[in-house]
């Protein structure tokens, strides 16, 4: 009798799981349920569409024929509202029940709303889906001035979109640096200066107290906690994700900020797995729970989850993720968990070249490279192999660092 697999979510984690399941189980029943109205698209490229740099066509990855060709049932515009682990069913918003032998939850998150007055006014945008990108592009092409809130990896995308569309912008940040948990002020200043050159001005120790609107409820002004006012007929907000754990209500599936899984992507229920943004997985490299929904990480999680849904314990998730930014004249890359660690080391080599490594218990757990990305392979190798670099921090940030510069076991290649 063939197995029945249900996947909730058609992002890269869910889609890669479906593809792997079909390869592993040619006769299985596979169903993907998604609340979005279109099949898988490239979430990395939607910012390029919003910037006006790419048309729609290259953004789409799968059309509906991809699913038909692989005998995968795709349910669009369908929100799962209930899971019954004992009965092995999930229920959609319209009451439809789907039976499963094995279930994968790849439901991701929803942009966090800014809890201030008029934050739902017309002209205020969040940036997560392809439809969000379409709405942003349509609006910003007619905008005169903008405000961006959210000093992280999604916020910088919104700032870059305003710059590419040649709209004057203010980028409001709560601290004194962009992505202050991963970059020092010295490193972040490279980003700040690149923004200024593109007519987007970073504003530090700021944020939003409330928005003002006109008689048609369109945003006109952002007022920060200091009382400073910024004209804006376009506002972009990226202050994080609320992970879609409400789907777990009434179950005993274990979760906190995300769904707990082991290194095989299985939850505390033998027949329920999770992958992507929603997952707090056991990170074998970090030695702790971790959450990382970057594209490559989510894709691999989906693949590994599928293999273990077919044959549990067959392959563990062991991955060093990367995230790159291509908005500026210099490259930028983060890897691993650059905001974690109990120690760090950094160095600046020029106005557009800087590095920082995060270290925990004497081992590299993440880092950020600006300018020269060539050392990333060496740093990732040290991280994957959990090499102890205690007492050798300064060697790690030599501009021409080589693995054999390190003493002892760290020098083995």
């Amino acid at each position: 009798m063939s197995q029945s697999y249900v996947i909730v979510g058609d992002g890269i984690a869910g889609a890669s799981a479906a593809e792997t399941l079909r390869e592993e189980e040619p006769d299985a029943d596979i169903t993907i349920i998604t609340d979005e109205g279109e099949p898988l698209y490239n979430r990395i490229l939607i910012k390029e569409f919003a910037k006006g740099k790419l048309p729609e066509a290259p953004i789409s990855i799968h059309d509906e024929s991809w699913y038909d060709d692989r005998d995968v049932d795709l349910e669009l515009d369908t929100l799962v509202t209930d899971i019954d682990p004992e009965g092995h069913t999930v229920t959609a918003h319209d009451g439809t029940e789907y039976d499963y032998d094995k279930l994968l939850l790849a439901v991701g998150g929803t942009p966090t709303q800014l809890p201030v007055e008029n934050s739902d006014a017309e002209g205020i945008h969040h940036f997560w889906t392809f439809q969000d990108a379409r709405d942003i592009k349509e609006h910003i092409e007619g905008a005169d001035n903008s405000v961006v809130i959210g000093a992280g990896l999604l916020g910088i995308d919104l700032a870059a979109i305003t710059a590419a569309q040649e709209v004057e912008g203010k980028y409001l940040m709560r601290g004194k640096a962009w992505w202050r948990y991963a970059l020092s002020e010295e490193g972040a200043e490279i980003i700040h200066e690149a923004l200024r050159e593109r007519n987007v001005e970073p504003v530090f120790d700021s944020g939003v107290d409330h928005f003002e609107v006109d008689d048609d409820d369109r945003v006109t002004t952002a007022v920060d906690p200091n009382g400073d006012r910024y004209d804006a007929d376009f506002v972009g907000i990226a202050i994080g994700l609320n992970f879609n754990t409400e789907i777990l209500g009434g179950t005993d599936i274990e979760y906190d900020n995300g769904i707990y899984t082991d290194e095989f992507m299985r939850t505390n229920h033998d027949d329920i797995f999770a992958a992507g943004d929603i997952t707090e997985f056991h990170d074998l490299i970090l030695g702790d729970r971790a959450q990382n929904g970057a594209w490559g990480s989510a894709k691999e999680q989906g693949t590994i989850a599928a293999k273990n849904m077919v044959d549990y314990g067959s392959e563990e998730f062991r991955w060093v993720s990367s995230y790159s930014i291509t908005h500026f004249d210099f490259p930028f890359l983060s890897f691993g968990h650059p905001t974690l660690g109990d120690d760090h080391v950094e160095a600046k080599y020029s106005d557009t070249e800087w590095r920082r490594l995060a270290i925990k218990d004497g081992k590299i757990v993440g880092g950020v490279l600006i300018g020269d990305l060539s050392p990333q392979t060496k740093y990732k190798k040290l991280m994957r192999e959990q090499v102890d670099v205690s007492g050798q921090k300064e060697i790690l940030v030599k501009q021409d660092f080589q693995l054999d510069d390190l003493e002892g076991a760290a020098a083995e290649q």
Side-chain angles (χ1 to χ4, degrees):
M1 184 175 178
S2 63
Q3 288 280 295
S4 175
Y5 297 99
V6 170
I7 299 168
V8 184
D10 188 40
I12 189 59
S16 65
E19 186 166 19
T20 303
L21 285 171
R22 179 53 72 219
E23 292 169 355
E24 300 282 333
E25 292 269 29
D27 299 323
D29 295 324
I30 303 173
T31 300
I32 296 178
I33 306 170
T34 175
D35 60 351
E36 291 203 52
E38 57 194 316
L40 177 69
Y41 51 84
N42 191 323
R43 201 178 294 276
I44 296 173
L45 292 181
I46 58 175
K47 56 181 173 282
E48 300 303 321
F49 171 80
K51 287 161 69 174
K53 304 295 186 183
L54 279 179
E56 283 207 20
I59 311 298
S60 297
I61 295 177
H62 295 162
D63 58 21
E64 293 189 38
S65 66
W66 184 91
Y67 303 84
D68 293 337
D69 292 345
R70 289 159 180 79
D71 196 21
V72 173
D73 292 329
L74 175 64
E75 301 285 350
L76 298 172
D77 295 311
T78 304
L79 177 66
V80 171
T81 57
D82 184 68
I83 302 171
D84 180 359
E86 301 305 319
H88 281 63
T89 64
V90 298
T91 304
H93 69 281
D94 61 1
T96 304
E97 281 193 355
Y98 301 85
D99 298 321
Y100 67 83
D101 293 311
K102 299 286 176 67
L103 173 67
L104 176 66
L105 300 175
V107 292
T110 304
T112 302
Q113 305 298 302
L114 195 61
V116 301
E117 184 181 358
N118 293 322
S119 63
D120 58 351
E122 185 175 342
I124 297 179
H125 298 266
H126 296 84
F127 187 44
W128 190 239
T129 68
F130 198 176
Q131 189 56 49
D132 292 338
R134 294 185 184 103
D135 294 341
I136 287 168
K137 183 174 185 290
E138 180 181 3
H139 183 184
I140 201 165
E141 286 177 343
D144 293 321
N145 39 55
S146 68
V147 162
V148 173
I149 302 105
L153 296 172
L154 286 178
I156 199 77
D157 287 346
L158 283 165
I161 289 166
T162 68
Q165 295 285 1
E166 298 183 350
V167 176
E168 179 184 359
K170 302 293 185 184
Y171 192 177
L172 310 187
M173 308 183 192
R174 287 193 298 177
K176 296 185 181 300
W178 175 73
W179 204 18
R180 66 188 188 277
Y181 300 113
L183 278 72
S184 66
E185 291 183 33
E186 182 179 52
E189 183 58 24
I190 297 174
I191 304 297
H192 302 159
E193 188 56 33
L195 289 167
R196 294 184 190 106
E197 290 172 358
R198 290 157 177 80
N199 209 22
V200 176
E201 180 65 29
V203 181
F204 306 115
D205 295 322
S206 184
V208 176
D209 180 77
H210 65 277
F211 296 103
E212 295 179 355
V213 298
D214 63 17
D215 292 340
D216 296 318
D217 287 328
R218 296 189 185 93
V219 67
T220 61
T221 310
V223 182
D224 81 359
N226 308 311
D228 295 325
R229 301 163 58 84
Y230 302 97
D231 292 339
D233 51 7
F234 174 93
V235 172
I237 299 174
I239 57 172
L241 290 178
N242 290 325
F243 296 100
N244 295 328
T245 53
E246 68 276 0
I247 195 175
L248 308 176
T251 78
D252 62 349
I253 299 171
E254 294 178 353
Y255 71 97
D256 186 15
N257 194 43
I259 300 171
Y260 288 166
T261 75
D262 60 16
E263 62 269 34
F264 305 107
M265 311 314 297
R266 189 170 73 176
T267 70
N268 59 309
H269 280 263
D270 288 351
D271 297 328
I272 301 178
F273 294 71
D277 294 290
I278 192 68
T279 305
E280 284 190 67
F281 58 90
H282 177 61
D283 190 321
L284 293 168
I285 297 173
L286 191 63
D288 202 352
R289 291 197 183 280
Q291 203 161 5
N292 190 306
W295 186 266
S297 175
K299 186 176 189 295
E300 182 71 2
Q301 286 179 44
T303 298
I304 296 299
K307 290 182 177 180
N308 288 293
M309 291 166 80
V310 174
D311 180 16
Y312 179 74
S314 59
E315 191 167 341
E316 62 191 21
F317 178 69
R318 189 182 185 90
W319 186 261
V320 177
S321 65
S322 297
Y323 189 94
S324 61
I325 292 174
T326 57
H327 301 309
F328 307 116
D329 297 332
F330 50 82
F332 173 104
L333 180 133
S334 67
F335 68 91
H337 305 282
T339 63
L340 302 182
D342 50 36
D343 198 3
H344 73 273
V345 61
E346 67 178 78
K348 185 176 181 182
Y349 312 100
S350 74
D351 290 342
T352 57
E353 187 178 345
W354 176 88
R355 295 177 207 163
R356 184 182 191 272
L357 300 174
I359 297 169
K360 178 185 177 185
D361 299 329
K363 300 168 186 176
I364 296 172
V365 295
V368 174
L369 308 178
I370 299 176
D372 179 12
L373 307 188
S374 62
Q376 65 170 300
T377 302
K378 302 160 198 170
Y379 294 145
K380 288 179 181 179
K381 177 181 174 65
L382 293 172
M383 182 175 166
R384 275 193 302 270
E385 298 179 0
Q386 298 176 276
V387 173
D388 193 324
V389 295
S390 299
Q392 303 185 76
K393 290 193 308 180
E394 299 306 321
I395 295 174
L396 291 169
V397 291
K398 286 171 53 181
Q399 191 166 12
D400 58 350
F401 168 70
Q402 301 296 325
L403 288 172
D404 56 13
D405 293 336
L406 295 171
E407 298 175 0
E412 297 178 6
Q413 299 183 45

